[in-house]
Amino acid sequence: EKMVREATGSTSRQRRPIVLVATQAIEVSLDIDLDTIYSDPAPLEALVQRFGRINRRRRQADLAPVHVFRQPNDGQKVYDPALVQATLRVLERENGRPIDENAIGGWLDEIYAGEIAARWREEFLHHATEFEITCIRPLRAFQADRDLEDRFYKAFDSIEVLPNDLYDEFMQLKEEEPIRAYELLVPISWGRYHALAREGRVRPGDRDIPPVVLTPYSPERGLTWEARSAEVDDLV
C-alpha cells in the first residue's frame, strides 16, 4: 500500500507510472490518482467508486477514459448477476458520453426497479425480521448468550477470527495494549468459518479470546485456506 500511495497518491511527490492490478478493495479509503481503469463488470455503485480513483486531482486536461469489460457478466459469485447485467445495459446506452454525476442517481433508480427492486425489498424484510426475532427480542441486560452471539454473526454473514500465526502477538498485546490486540483480528464470512470448523481448523473462542483459525497468514496475502497438517494434528 505504501508503494502504491507513493507512485499514485494524489499529493505524492514520488509519482511514477505503474500498472496496478487490484481487487475491489481499492474502491474505498485509498487516496490514489490513476490515469485510467479497466474493470470487470460490477454493480454501478461499485464501478462509480472505482472511477473515483481516476483523474482525482484533474491532472489530465481532458476527461479521463474509464473502461468496463462486458464479460463475464454473471457476477463471478461476488455480485448479483441481475445487478451486473442491468448496469451493463445502462453503460452500453451511455457508452462514449461523459459521466454526469447528476445522472447517476437516475441510473441507479433505473437499475433498482421492477423485479430487482421487488426481490431486494423481499430480501431486506426477511433479514430484518429474522434479525429482530433472533437477535433483538431475546436480549436481556447483563446476560451473555453465546448462542445469541452466533446468531448475530450469522445474520451479518461475518465473524472476526484470530489467525493462529498472530496468537502469541495477540496474547502479548492483550496484556499491554488491548485495543491494538483486537486490530489483529481478520473478518471472514460465516460460511467460511463453519467450513473451517468442519475441517477441524478452528479453536472456538471464549469471553477473553476470539476464535482462532489454523490457516496460514501473512501480512502480504492475509489468510489463505491451505491446511497445516502439524497444527491440525496438534488441535486434534
Side-chain angles (χ1 to χ4, degrees):
E1 182 177 333
K2 182 173 181 288
M3 182 273 289
V4 172
R5 287 183 184 276
E6 288 177 352
T8 67
S10 58
T11 59
S12 173
R13 296 183 179 181
Q14 304 177 53
R15 288 176 59 85
R16 62 186 185 277
I18 66 168
V19 175
L20 174 62
V21 181
T23 69
Q24 60 267 43
I26 65 162
E27 289 175 11
V28 293
S29 304
L30 202 58
D31 184 16
I32 58 177
D33 185 4
L34 300 167
D35 295 333
T36 190
I37 185 173
Y38 292 83
S39 174
D40 278 355
L44 181 64
E45 56 269 37
L47 292 175
V48 168
Q49 290 292 328
R50 297 174 198 183
F51 297 163
R53 312 296 153 200
I54 307 303
N55 201 21
R56 231 171 137 78
R57 291 289 186 261
R58 304 292 189 268
R59 295 173 183 273
Q60 300 181 56
D62 297 326
L63 295 177
V66 293
H67 312 269
V68 179
F69 294 112
R70 293 178 172 87
Q71 296 292 335
N73 65 358
D74 60 357
Q76 302 181 77
K77 298 183 180 180
V78 177
Y79 301 113
D80 183 339
L83 286 178
V84 173
Q85 291 158 19
T87 296
L88 288 173
R89 287 193 292 271
V90 170
L91 295 182
E92 288 279 9
R93 185 188 67 215
E94 302 296 328
N95 189 24
R97 302 177 186 174
I99 296 177
D100 182 354
E101 290 191 16
N102 295 321
I104 291 174
W107 296 351
L108 288 169
D109 289 341
E110 182 180 340
I111 291 168
Y112 285 89
E115 183 180 339
I116 290 178
R119 184 156 48 84
W120 187 89
R121 282 192 295 269
E122 181 180 352
E123 185 175 348
F124 170 80
L125 289 173
H126 168 75
H127 288 296
T129 302
E130 183 180 52
F131 181 72
E132 180 180 354
I133 292 172
T134 61
C135 297
I136 300 298
R137 294 182 188 175
L139 283 177
R140 298 293 181 271
F142 309 111
Q143 290 185 13
D145 184 339
R146 190 54 189 264
D147 181 58
L148 177 60
E149 182 181 351
D150 287 345
R151 283 182 279 165
F152 179 88
Y153 286 132
K154 182 179 179 182
F156 285 95
D157 191 30
S158 179
I159 183 171
E160 289 190 322
V161 298
L162 176 64
N164 191 56
D165 291 337
L166 302 180
Y167 180 83
D168 291 340
E169 183 179 356
F170 175 87
M171 296 304 293
Q172 181 177 349
L173 285 173
K174 192 171 181 297
E175 297 298 324
E176 301 170 356
E177 300 180 75
I179 293 178
R180 285 191 58 207
Y182 284 90
E183 292 177 356
L184 299 177
L185 303 188
V186 177
I188 63 175
S189 72
W190 182 253
R192 173 68 73 178
Y193 173 79
H194 277 275
L196 292 172
R198 287 193 298 270
E199 295 171 6
R201 290 199 276 162
V202 173
R203 294 193 189 114
D206 55 29
R207 187 182 294 273
D208 298 317
I209 302 175
V212 177
V213 292
L214 303 179
T215 59
Y217 175 85
S218 71
E220 293 78 21
R221 298 182 61 195
L223 281 174
T224 54
W225 311 119
E226 297 86 356
R228 285 183 175 170
S229 57
E231 291 177 348
V232 174
D233 290 343
D234 289 344
L235 180 65
V236 174

